[in-house]
């Protein structure tokens, strides 16, 4: 797919996408407010605020695909509603003018509270808070004249993953032998997505026009409990399994009366209080991408953290 692949943001998803694209020989332009991003001969780092419509024409010049993975300035429904819909519409309009497909990493929030495994056929009709905003964003993409793809993932882990239940809250804590406290339950099954697998799926969808205007699940290995995840991290790091405890969801709900952070975490605590399992088998077949084996993914994650700490 000749042309420039534009990556909006150099966070945990954008960095993985840019690195994979460059490794495959694609020309990459990564856009951040600071001009930061991974260093590679095929990666151009450009200082751009992609939430500003007047900066997008030059930024998207020559683009064949745009990977849009920016976040709100705060993890609140108020910030998301004020910032994300307008930014997405500006990106969609600018990408449409140059004929580029826009590929979005998506969460599972729009499914809301579910019972049983989540498939692509599970209704995406959440209406409240941050969950409802994700539903609205999906609707805006469907209504856009620009070609889009959305690839939904569960909670992240892997290289460059910081802001995640299995990121800086967990990996360095376990490797340091400190007590690991998780939200919800230690023993309920939960799907975790290895971010390089999400990046691979997004690239596969972007480079195949037959997959455009679809919604897919990122390749995700079989669900594990948070206890099993912590044990796997300790095993990969060759350290003793640490002490563990769980913070029940009701504690977050009570704390939310006085704490914004607790209130926002409480909104999605249901995902860790009962089984939360993603079935990605159909999307894997369509995308031609399989999840990295769990133990391999954990090993690579620990190696990245060790290198970062060194």
């Amino acid at each position: 797919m000749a042309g420039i692949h534009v990556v909006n943001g150099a966070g945990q998803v954008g960095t993985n996408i840019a690195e994979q694209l460059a490794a495959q020989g694609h020309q990459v332009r990564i856009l951040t407010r600071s001009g930061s991003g991974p260093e590679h001969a095929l990666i151009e780092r450009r200082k751009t605020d992609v939430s500003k419509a007047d900066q997008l024409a030059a930024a998207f010049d020559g683009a064949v695909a745009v990977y849009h993975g920016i976040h709100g300035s705060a993890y609140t429904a108020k910030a998301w509603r004020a910032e994300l819909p307008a930014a997405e519409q500006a990106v969609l309009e600018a990408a449409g003018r140059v004929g580029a497909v826009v590929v979005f990493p998506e969460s599972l929030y729009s499914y809301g509270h579910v019972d049983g495994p989540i498939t692509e056929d599970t209704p995406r009709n959440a209406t409240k808070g941050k969950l409802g905003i994700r539903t609205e964003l999906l609707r805006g993409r469907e209504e856009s004249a620009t070609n889009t793809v959305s690839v939904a993932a569960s909670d992240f882990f892997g290289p460059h993953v910081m802001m995640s239940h299995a990121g800086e809250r967990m990996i360095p804590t376990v490797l340091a032998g400190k007590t690991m406290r998780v939200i919800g339950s230690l023993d309920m099954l939960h799907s975790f997505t290895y971010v390089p697998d999400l990046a691979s799926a997004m690239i596969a969808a972007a480079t195949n026009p037959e997959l455009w205007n679809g919604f897919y699940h990122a390749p995700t290995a079989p669900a594990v409990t948070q206890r099993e995840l912590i044990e796997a991290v300790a095993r990969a790091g060759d350290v003793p399994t640490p002490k563990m405890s769980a913070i029940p969801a009701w504690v977050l709900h009570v704390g939310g009366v006085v704490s914004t952070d607790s209130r926002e975490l409480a909104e999605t605590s249901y995902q860790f209080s009962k089984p939360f399992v993603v079935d990605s088998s159909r999307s894997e077949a369509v995308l031609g991408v399989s999840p990295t084996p769990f133990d391999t993914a954990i090993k690579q994650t620990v190696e990245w953290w060790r290198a970062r700490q060194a």
Side-chain angles (χ1 to χ4, degrees):
M1 190 177 185
I4 298 171
H5 290 251
V6 175
V7 180
N8 295 346
Q12 50 200 15
V13 178
T15 297
N16 275 283
I17 292 171
E19 290 179 343
Q20 287 190 27
L21 285 167
Q24 295 172 16
H26 295 289
Q27 291 285 341
V28 182
R29 180 182 298 148
I30 192 162
L31 310 177
T32 65
R33 291 176 179 174
S34 63
S36 62
E39 295 184 4
H40 190 284
L42 292 177
I43 297 178
E44 172 197 359
R45 297 179 295 177
R46 186 177 293 191
K47 189 174 182 179
T48 305
D49 184 346
V50 298
S51 68
K52 306 295 184 183
D54 60 352
Q55 297 185 29
L56 296 180
F60 289 2
D61 183 40
V64 292
V66 176
Y67 305 81
H68 183 69
I70 67 169
H71 303 284
S73 60
Y75 186 66
T76 65
K78 181 179 180 180
W80 285 16
R81 186 171 297 284
E83 300 164 7
L84 298 184
E88 284 205 6
Q89 288 305 309
V91 166
L92 286 167
E93 291 173 10
R97 286 194 289 270
V98 298
V101 61
V102 184
V103 188
F104 298 89
E106 187 50 61
S107 71
L108 302 171
Y109 288 8
S110 62
Y111 287 116
H113 295 243
V114 296
D115 292 314
I118 302 170
T119 72
E120 297 86 348
D121 291 331
T122 303
R124 296 184 287 274
N125 54 15
T127 58
K128 296 181 180 179
K130 296 188 295 296
L131 285 63
I133 293 170
R134 300 315 304 184
T135 305
E136 294 171 18
L137 290 172
L138 287 169
R139 188 177 303 119
R141 297 168 200 169
E142 292 173 356
E143 295 172 351
S144 173
T146 301
N147 291 310
T148 70
V149 177
S150 297
V151 184
S154 194
D155 290 273
F156 296 153
F157 73 101
H160 307 293
V161 174
M162 302 294 290
M163 299 297 291
S164 170
H165 291 278
E168 62 184 349
R169 296 178 184 174
M170 179 180 290
I171 311 299
T173 300
V174 174
L175 295 179
K178 298 178 180 178
T179 298
M180 183 62 219
R181 296 179 175 86
V182 303
I183 291 173
S185 168
L186 280 163
D187 298 305
M188 292 292 179
L189 286 174
H190 187 92
S191 291
F192 291 90
T193 301
Y194 186 51
V195 167
D197 293 338
L198 168 61
S200 296
M202 292 176 65
I203 293 168
T207 53
N208 185 351
E210 293 183 2
L211 300 178
W212 293 356
N213 301 308
F215 182 99
Y216 307 99
H217 284 174
T220 301
V224 296
T225 67
Q226 293 191 89
R227 186 187 303 278
E228 291 171 332
L229 178 61
I230 293 165
E231 291 171 343
V233 171
R235 189 164 57 248
D238 196 24
V239 298
T241 300
K243 294 180 180 179
M244 309 177 209
S245 64
I247 303 170
W250 68 263
V251 173
L252 294 175
H253 285 279
V254 172
V257 175
V258 295
S259 168
T260 299
D261 289 345
S262 292
R263 183 165 59 252
E264 297 300 333
L265 285 172
E267 184 181 28
T268 55
S269 61
Y270 66 91
Q271 298 179 0
F272 294 93
S273 301
K274 61 180 183 178
F276 191 78
V277 178
V278 177
D279 181 348
S280 60
S281 56
R282 184 195 305 175
S283 291
E284 290 171 33
V286 171
L287 295 166
V289 181
S290 299
T292 302
F294 178 71
D295 286 341
T296 301
I298 291 294
K299 182 176 183 293
Q300 292 173 352
T301 300
V302 168
E303 289 174 349
W304 181 84
W305 274 98
R306 283 266 169 82
R308 183 178 187 274
Q309 292 172 332

